[in-house]
Amino acid sequence: AQSVSQHNHHVILSEAASLELGCNYSYGGTVNLFWYVQYPGQHLQLLLKYFSGDPLVKGIKGFEAEFIKSKFSFNLRKPSVQWSDTAEYFCAVPGAGSGNTGKLIFGQGTTLQVKP
Amino acid sequence: DVKVTQSSRYLVKRTGEKVFLECVQDMDHENMFWYRQDPGLGLRLIYFSYDVKMKEKGDIPEGYSVSREKKERFSLILESASTNQTSMYLCASTEGSGGPYNEQFFGPGTRLTVL
């Protein structure tokens, strides 16, 4: 069955530190992977997605993620975080039998707190 | 821009009440979803709908029902609210074609407290 696991539940960093948030998945079909972000008081929104091709995917606000098939991982990275990156981050994969429904399974989420 | 709106940002109800949460999207999306978001558990799918009057159970449908009479509107119903349904409820929508390739667009959420 499809599943996704995020290792870090709460991460605290200082500004300018590098970020890596872990995501591991279990998925039997064609791999599609997503990271969503929820800034304080805002809607959940898409950060980046991987469907095929270059395993290094770039998203908004300087974020990137690397799909490593052998490790079943899709870790989110940013070389230098800012205070404005404080948010909750969710990794997601398509749900079982999602077909054209776009159904997703989300990980537990990682709360990132960036100290100025 | 896609807009997904939810009827209330905050709601307080009493145990046993019937609760309606409304969601409206303005982009003619076929698929609509209801999630609940709880700390440490992420987003869990309650129900989704892929067409008018069509619905499917998600991972945690117990205690909930849904209604989709019009394409733009998807309602979540708590038949008899209980304290363990205190949570943040998120609605989302996405296009029907393209399946998992499509971005889900989320509403602002409704924080429901059941006393």
mmCIF file of all heavy atoms in Angstrom, chain B residues 6-38:
data_model
loop_
_atom_site.group_PDB
_atom_site.id
_atom_site.type_symbol
_atom_site.label_atom_id
_atom_site.label_comp_id
_atom_site.label_asym_id
_atom_site.label_seq_id
_atom_site.Cartn_x
_atom_site.Cartn_y
_atom_site.Cartn_z
ATOM 1 N N GLN B 6 -14.050 28.250 2.236
ATOM 2 C CA GLN B 6 -14.763 27.439 3.215
ATOM 3 C C GLN B 6 -15.638 28.351 4.043
ATOM 4 O O GLN B 6 -15.266 29.495 4.324
ATOM 5 C CB GLN B 6 -13.761 26.661 4.085
ATOM 6 C CG GLN B 6 -12.965 25.656 3.268
ATOM 7 C CD GLN B 6 -12.008 24.819 4.095
ATOM 8 O OE1 GLN B 6 -10.852 24.666 3.736
ATOM 9 N NE2 GLN B 6 -12.478 24.271 5.204
ATOM 10 N N SER B 7 -16.790 27.848 4.439
ATOM 11 C CA SER B 7 -17.834 28.709 4.999
ATOM 12 C C SER B 7 -17.438 29.381 6.306
ATOM 13 O O SER B 7 -17.853 30.506 6.567
ATOM 14 C CB SER B 7 -19.111 27.895 5.207
ATOM 15 O OG SER B 7 -18.836 26.697 5.914
ATOM 16 N N SER B 8 -16.623 28.718 7.115
ATOM 17 C CA SER B 8 -16.254 29.300 8.408
ATOM 18 C C SER B 8 -14.778 29.072 8.670
ATOM 19 O O SER B 8 -14.236 28.043 8.278
ATOM 20 C CB SER B 8 -17.052 28.661 9.550
ATOM 21 O OG SER B 8 -18.434 28.736 9.313
ATOM 22 N N ARG B 9 -14.114 30.007 9.313
ATOM 23 C CA ARG B 9 -12.727 29.786 9.743
ATOM 24 C C ARG B 9 -12.698 29.108 11.111
ATOM 25 O O ARG B 9 -11.829 28.285 11.374
ATOM 26 C CB ARG B 9 -11.967 31.106 9.818
ATOM 27 C CG ARG B 9 -11.679 31.747 8.471
ATOM 28 C CD ARG B 9 -10.851 30.851 7.547
ATOM 29 N NE ARG B 9 -9.556 30.501 8.110
ATOM 30 C CZ ARG B 9 -8.445 31.208 7.953
ATOM 31 N NH1 ARG B 9 -8.468 32.329 7.261
ATOM 32 N NH2 ARG B 9 -7.308 30.814 8.468
ATOM 33 N N TYR B 10 -13.631 29.481 11.959
ATOM 34 C CA TYR B 10 -13.716 28.903 13.298
ATOM 35 C C TYR B 10 -15.174 28.532 13.581
ATOM 36 O O TYR B 10 -16.081 29.269 13.222
ATOM 37 C CB TYR B 10 -13.236 29.898 14.359
ATOM 38 C CG TYR B 10 -11.804 30.336 14.182
ATOM 39 C CD1 TYR B 10 -11.495 31.499 13.474
ATOM 40 C CD2 TYR B 10 -10.756 29.580 14.696
ATOM 41 C CE1 TYR B 10 -10.184 31.889 13.286
ATOM 42 C CE2 TYR B 10 -9.439 29.969 14.519
ATOM 43 C CZ TYR B 10 -9.168 31.128 13.806
ATOM 44 O OH TYR B 10 -7.867 31.511 13.631
ATOM 45 N N LEU B 11 -15.311 27.388 14.239
ATOM 46 C CA LEU B 11 -16.665 26.898 14.561
ATOM 47 C C LEU B 11 -16.601 26.197 15.902
ATOM 48 O O LEU B 11 -15.680 25.407 16.149
ATOM 49 C CB LEU B 11 -17.095 25.922 13.466
ATOM 50 C CG LEU B 11 -18.559 25.744 13.103
ATOM 51 C CD1 LEU B 11 -19.219 27.079 12.797
ATOM 52 C CD2 LEU B 11 -18.673 24.813 11.912
ATOM 53 N N VAL B 12 -17.571 26.488 16.767
ATOM 54 C CA VAL B 12 -17.666 25.798 18.052
ATOM 55 C C VAL B 12 -19.043 25.156 18.126
ATOM 56 O O VAL B 12 -20.063 25.840 17.968
ATOM 57 C CB VAL B 12 -17.463 26.766 19.237
ATOM 58 C CG1 VAL B 12 -17.580 26.007 20.554
ATOM 59 C CG2 VAL B 12 -16.109 27.451 19.140
ATOM 60 N N LYS B 13 -19.071 23.858 18.366
ATOM 61 C CA LYS B 13 -20.323 23.115 18.426
ATOM 62 C C LYS B 13 -20.345 22.242 19.674
ATOM 63 O O LYS B 13 -19.315 22.009 20.316
ATOM 64 C CB LYS B 13 -20.475 22.228 17.175
ATOM 65 C CG LYS B 13 -20.598 23.006 15.879
ATOM 66 C CD LYS B 13 -21.911 23.768 15.807
ATOM 67 C CE LYS B 13 -22.054 24.509 14.502
ATOM 68 N NZ LYS B 13 -23.331 25.270 14.442
ATOM 69 N N ARG B 14 -21.525 21.777 20.000
ATOM 70 C CA ARG B 14 -21.685 20.915 21.168
ATOM 71 C C ARG B 14 -21.799 19.455 20.732
ATOM 72 O O ARG B 14 -22.264 19.151 19.624
ATOM 73 C CB ARG B 14 -22.907 21.318 21.961
ATOM 74 C CG ARG B 14 -22.827 22.735 22.490
ATOM 75 C CD ARG B 14 -23.468 22.859 23.873
ATOM 76 N NE ARG B 14 -23.206 24.176 24.441
ATOM 77 C CZ ARG B 14 -22.177 24.434 25.242
ATOM 78 N NH1 ARG B 14 -21.349 23.482 25.584
ATOM 79 N NH2 ARG B 14 -22.003 25.638 25.723
ATOM 80 N N THR B 15 -21.393 18.569 21.607
ATOM 81 C CA THR B 15 -21.498 17.134 21.359
ATOM 82 C C THR B 15 -22.916 16.767 20.968
ATOM 83 O O THR B 15 -23.871 17.219 21.603
ATOM 84 C CB THR B 15 -21.090 16.351 22.615
ATOM 85 O OG1 THR B 15 -19.757 16.717 22.972
ATOM 86 C CG2 THR B 15 -21.135 14.860 22.358
ATOM 87 N N GLY B 16 -23.036 15.980 19.898
ATOM 88 C CA GLY B 16 -24.333 15.528 19.432
ATOM 89 C C GLY B 16 -24.970 16.392 18.373
ATOM 90 O O GLY B 16 -25.934 15.974 17.724
ATOM 91 N N GLU B 17 -24.449 17.600 18.180
ATOM 92 C CA GLU B 17 -25.006 18.462 17.146
ATOM 93 C C GLU B 17 -24.664 17.946 15.764
ATOM 94 O O GLU B 17 -23.634 17.293 15.561
ATOM 95 C CB GLU B 17 -24.443 19.883 17.286
ATOM 96 C CG GLU B 17 -25.086 20.721 18.364
ATOM 97 C CD GLU B 17 -24.690 22.195 18.225
ATOM 98 O OE1 GLU B 17 -25.241 22.876 17.331
ATOM 99 O OE2 GLU B 17 -23.855 22.650 19.022
ATOM 100 N N LYS B 18 -25.499 18.266 14.803
ATOM 101 C CA LYS B 18 -25.208 17.983 13.399
ATOM 102 C C LYS B 18 -24.486 19.210 12.844
ATOM 103 O O LYS B 18 -24.953 20.333 13.006
ATOM 104 C CB LYS B 18 -26.493 17.714 12.628
ATOM 105 C CG LYS B 18 -26.283 17.165 11.216
ATOM 106 C CD LYS B 18 -27.588 16.664 10.619
ATOM 107 C CE LYS B 18 -27.361 15.985 9.278
ATOM 108 N NZ LYS B 18 -28.614 15.406 8.725
ATOM 109 N N VAL B 19 -23.349 18.967 12.206
ATOM 110 C CA VAL B 19 -22.490 20.071 11.764
ATOM 111 C C VAL B 19 -22.299 19.992 10.255
ATOM 112 O O VAL B 19 -22.048 18.920 9.711
ATOM 113 C CB VAL B 19 -21.118 20.003 12.456
ATOM 114 C CG1 VAL B 19 -20.243 21.179 12.020
ATOM 115 C CG2 VAL B 19 -21.279 19.992 13.975
ATOM 116 N N PHE B 20 -22.413 21.134 9.611
ATOM 117 C CA PHE B 20 -22.207 21.224 8.165
ATOM 118 C C PHE B 20 -21.003 22.119 7.892
ATOM 119 O O PHE B 20 -20.957 23.258 8.339
ATOM 120 C CB PHE B 20 -23.437 21.821 7.481
ATOM 121 C CG PHE B 20 -24.667 20.959 7.540
ATOM 122 C CD1 PHE B 20 -25.517 21.017 8.636
ATOM 123 C CD2 PHE B 20 -24.970 20.102 6.500
ATOM 124 C CE1 PHE B 20 -26.651 20.223 8.690
ATOM 125 C CE2 PHE B 20 -26.107 19.310 6.545
ATOM 126 C CZ PHE B 20 -26.949 19.367 7.645
ATOM 127 N N LEU B 21 -20.064 21.602 7.139
ATOM 128 C CA LEU B 21 -18.942 22.405 6.669
ATOM 129 C C LEU B 21 -19.057 22.508 5.155
ATOM 130 O O LEU B 21 -19.185 21.491 4.471
ATOM 131 C CB LEU B 21 -17.604 21.759 7.049
ATOM 132 C CG LEU B 21 -17.362 21.497 8.544
ATOM 133 C CD1 LEU B 21 -15.966 20.925 8.739
ATOM 134 C CD2 LEU B 21 -17.529 22.764 9.360
ATOM 135 N N GLU B 22 -19.005 23.749 4.670
ATOM 136 C CA GLU B 22 -19.216 23.978 3.238
ATOM 137 C C GLU B 22 -17.921 24.391 2.568
ATOM 138 O O GLU B 22 -17.104 25.128 3.131
ATOM 139 C CB GLU B 22 -20.254 25.083 3.040
ATOM 140 C CG GLU B 22 -21.586 24.848 3.709
ATOM 141 C CD GLU B 22 -22.424 23.833 2.976
ATOM 142 O OE1 GLU B 22 -22.215 23.647 1.755
ATOM 143 O OE2 GLU B 22 -23.283 23.212 3.621
ATOM 144 N N CYS B 23 -17.765 23.938 1.333
ATOM 145 C CA CYS B 23 -16.588 24.278 0.534
ATOM 146 C C CYS B 23 -17.041 24.612 -0.882
ATOM 147 O O CYS B 23 -17.845 23.871 -1.473
ATOM 148 C CB CYS B 23 -15.619 23.101 0.508
ATOM 149 S SG CYS B 23 -14.176 23.331 -0.571
ATOM 150 N N VAL B 24 -16.513 25.703 -1.414
ATOM 151 C CA VAL B 24 -16.853 26.118 -2.779
ATOM 152 C C VAL B 24 -15.577 26.428 -3.539
ATOM 153 O O VAL B 24 -14.699 27.111 -3.025
ATOM 154 C CB VAL B 24 -17.777 27.364 -2.764
ATOM 155 C CG1 VAL B 24 -18.064 27.823 -4.192
ATOM 156 C CG2 VAL B 24 -19.071 27.078 -2.035
ATOM 157 N N GLN B 25 -15.494 25.915 -4.776
ATOM 158 C CA GLN B 25 -14.357 26.241 -5.640
ATOM 159 C C GLN B 25 -14.880 26.882 -6.922
ATOM 160 O O GLN B 25 -15.971 26.563 -7.383
ATOM 161 C CB GLN B 25 -13.495 25.002 -5.933
ATOM 162 C CG GLN B 25 -14.248 23.784 -6.420
ATOM 163 C CD GLN B 25 -14.345 23.636 -7.919
ATOM 164 O OE1 GLN B 25 -13.778 24.426 -8.685
ATOM 165 N NE2 GLN B 25 -15.072 22.613 -8.363
ATOM 166 N N ASP B 26 -14.056 27.770 -7.474
ATOM 167 C CA ASP B 26 -14.533 28.582 -8.596
ATOM 168 C C ASP B 26 -13.838 28.263 -9.907
ATOM 169 O O ASP B 26 -13.879 29.059 -10.847
ATOM 170 C CB ASP B 26 -14.394 30.067 -8.258
ATOM 171 C CG ASP B 26 -12.940 30.508 -8.126
ATOM 172 O OD1 ASP B 26 -12.026 29.658 -8.247
ATOM 173 O OD2 ASP B 26 -12.717 31.708 -7.866
ATOM 174 N N MET B 27 -13.175 27.102 -9.999
ATOM 175 C CA MET B 27 -12.418 26.797 -11.218
ATOM 176 C C MET B 27 -12.961 25.597 -11.977
ATOM 177 O O MET B 27 -12.246 24.995 -12.760
ATOM 178 C CB MET B 27 -10.949 26.574 -10.877
ATOM 179 C CG MET B 27 -10.194 27.855 -10.646
ATOM 180 S SD MET B 27 -10.228 28.967 -12.068
ATOM 181 C CE MET B 27 -9.171 28.100 -13.209
ATOM 182 N N ASP B 28 -14.187 25.223 -11.727
ATOM 183 C CA ASP B 28 -14.820 24.138 -12.482
ATOM 184 C C ASP B 28 -14.058 22.815 -12.335
ATOM 185 O O ASP B 28 -14.017 21.992 -13.253
ATOM 186 C CB ASP B 28 -14.925 24.524 -13.968
ATOM 187 C CG ASP B 28 -16.004 23.730 -14.700
ATOM 188 O OD1 ASP B 28 -17.043 23.457 -14.080
ATOM 189 O OD2 ASP B 28 -15.788 23.376 -15.870
ATOM 190 N N HIS B 29 -13.453 22.585 -11.175
ATOM 191 C CA HIS B 29 -12.720 21.347 -10.934
ATOM 192 C C HIS B 29 -13.663 20.184 -10.707
ATOM 193 O O HIS B 29 -14.685 20.316 -10.023
ATOM 194 C CB HIS B 29 -11.803 21.512 -9.717
ATOM 195 C CG HIS B 29 -10.580 22.309 -9.994
ATOM 196 N ND1 HIS B 29 -9.729 22.729 -8.989
ATOM 197 C CD2 HIS B 29 -10.034 22.747 -11.149
ATOM 198 C CE1 HIS B 29 -8.720 23.397 -9.525
ATOM 199 N NE2 HIS B 29 -8.894 23.436 -10.833
ATOM 200 N N GLU B 30 -13.283 19.027 -11.273
ATOM 201 C CA GLU B 30 -14.095 17.831 -11.104
ATOM 202 C C GLU B 30 -13.925 17.218 -9.708
ATOM 203 O O GLU B 30 -14.870 16.695 -9.137
ATOM 204 C CB GLU B 30 -13.725 16.777 -12.155
ATOM 205 C CG GLU B 30 -14.226 17.067 -13.559
ATOM 206 C CD GLU B 30 -13.379 18.105 -14.295
ATOM 207 O OE1 GLU B 30 -12.299 18.488 -13.792
ATOM 208 O OE2 GLU B 30 -13.800 18.536 -15.383
ATOM 209 N N ASN B 31 -12.689 17.229 -9.217
ATOM 210 C CA ASN B 31 -12.387 16.507 -7.982
ATOM 211 C C ASN B 31 -12.350 17.444 -6.790
ATOM 212 O O ASN B 31 -11.760 18.513 -6.839
ATOM 213 C CB ASN B 31 -11.012 15.823 -8.094
ATOM 214 C CG ASN B 31 -10.925 14.891 -9.273
ATOM 215 O OD1 ASN B 31 -11.854 14.150 -9.545
ATOM 216 N ND2 ASN B 31 -9.807 14.935 -9.974
ATOM 217 N N MET B 32 -12.966 16.998 -5.702
ATOM 218 C CA MET B 32 -12.926 17.763 -4.462
ATOM 219 C C MET B 32 -12.685 16.817 -3.297
ATOM 220 O O MET B 32 -13.076 15.636 -3.347
ATOM 221 C CB MET B 32 -14.214 18.569 -4.262
ATOM 222 C CG MET B 32 -14.435 19.618 -5.343
ATOM 223 S SD MET B 32 -15.824 20.705 -5.038
ATOM 224 C CE MET B 32 -15.178 21.767 -3.733
ATOM 225 N N PHE B 33 -12.038 17.340 -2.254
ATOM 226 C CA PHE B 33 -11.559 16.514 -1.151
ATOM 227 C C PHE B 33 -11.849 17.182 0.187
ATOM 228 O O PHE B 33 -11.800 18.408 0.293
ATOM 229 C CB PHE B 33 -10.034 16.319 -1.252
ATOM 230 C CG PHE B 33 -9.555 15.819 -2.579
ATOM 231 C CD1 PHE B 33 -9.325 16.695 -3.620
ATOM 232 C CD2 PHE B 33 -9.328 14.467 -2.782
ATOM 233 C CE1 PHE B 33 -8.880 16.246 -4.853
ATOM 234 C CE2 PHE B 33 -8.886 14.000 -4.002
ATOM 235 C CZ PHE B 33 -8.658 14.891 -5.047
ATOM 236 N N TRP B 34 -12.069 16.362 1.194
ATOM 237 C CA TRP B 34 -12.106 16.828 2.581
ATOM 238 C C TRP B 34 -11.051 16.067 3.374
ATOM 239 O O TRP B 34 -11.005 14.822 3.354
ATOM 240 C CB TRP B 34 -13.470 16.598 3.218
ATOM 241 C CG TRP B 34 -14.445 17.696 2.962
ATOM 242 C CD1 TRP B 34 -15.528 17.662 2.141
ATOM 243 C CD2 TRP B 34 -14.437 19.010 3.555
ATOM 244 N NE1 TRP B 34 -16.194 18.859 2.174
ATOM 245 C CE2 TRP B 34 -15.549 19.705 3.037
ATOM 246 C CE3 TRP B 34 -13.606 19.657 4.479
ATOM 247 C CZ2 TRP B 34 -15.850 21.013 3.400
ATOM 248 C CZ3 TRP B 34 -13.909 20.956 4.830
ATOM 249 C CH2 TRP B 34 -15.021 21.625 4.298
ATOM 250 N N TYR B 35 -10.198 16.847 4.065
ATOM 251 C CA TYR B 35 -9.169 16.294 4.935
ATOM 252 C C TYR B 35 -9.388 16.832 6.351
ATOM 253 O O TYR B 35 -9.939 17.908 6.537
ATOM 254 C CB TYR B 35 -7.771 16.760 4.511
ATOM 255 C CG TYR B 35 -7.303 16.333 3.158
ATOM 256 C CD1 TYR B 35 -7.537 17.133 2.038
ATOM 257 C CD2 TYR B 35 -6.587 15.157 2.978
ATOM 258 C CE1 TYR B 35 -7.083 16.758 0.783
ATOM 259 C CE2 TYR B 35 -6.120 14.772 1.732
ATOM 260 C CZ TYR B 35 -6.380 15.581 0.638
ATOM 261 O OH TYR B 35 -5.922 15.209 -0.600
ATOM 262 N N ARG B 36 -8.850 16.096 7.318
ATOM 263 C CA ARG B 36 -8.670 16.696 8.624
ATOM 264 C C ARG B 36 -7.169 16.722 8.920
ATOM 265 O O ARG B 36 -6.430 15.800 8.528
ATOM 266 C CB ARG B 36 -9.463 16.016 9.727
ATOM 267 C CG ARG B 36 -9.175 14.588 10.018
ATOM 268 C CD ARG B 36 -10.017 14.078 11.193
ATOM 269 N NE ARG B 36 -9.538 14.553 12.484
ATOM 270 C CZ ARG B 36 -10.139 14.318 13.646
ATOM 271 N NH1 ARG B 36 -11.263 13.614 13.688
ATOM 272 N NH2 ARG B 36 -9.623 14.770 14.773
ATOM 273 N N GLN B 37 -6.757 17.798 9.581
ATOM 274 C CA GLN B 37 -5.343 18.000 9.884
ATOM 275 C C GLN B 37 -5.165 18.026 11.388
ATOM 276 O O GLN B 37 -5.742 18.882 12.081
ATOM 277 C CB GLN B 37 -4.851 19.325 9.270
ATOM 278 C CG GLN B 37 -3.394 19.603 9.497
ATOM 279 C CD GLN B 37 -2.956 20.929 8.886
ATOM 280 O OE1 GLN B 37 -3.766 21.690 8.364
ATOM 281 N NE2 GLN B 37 -1.663 21.200 8.908
ATOM 282 N N ASP B 38 -4.367 17.116 11.904
ATOM 283 C CA ASP B 38 -4.104 17.030 13.329
ATOM 284 C C ASP B 38 -2.598 16.992 13.551
ATOM 285 O O ASP B 38 -1.869 16.359 12.777
ATOM 286 C CB ASP B 38 -4.746 15.763 13.917
ATOM 287 C CG ASP B 38 -6.256 15.756 13.744
ATOM 288 O OD1 ASP B 38 -6.903 16.554 14.438
ATOM 289 O OD2 ASP B 38 -6.776 14.975 12.926
#
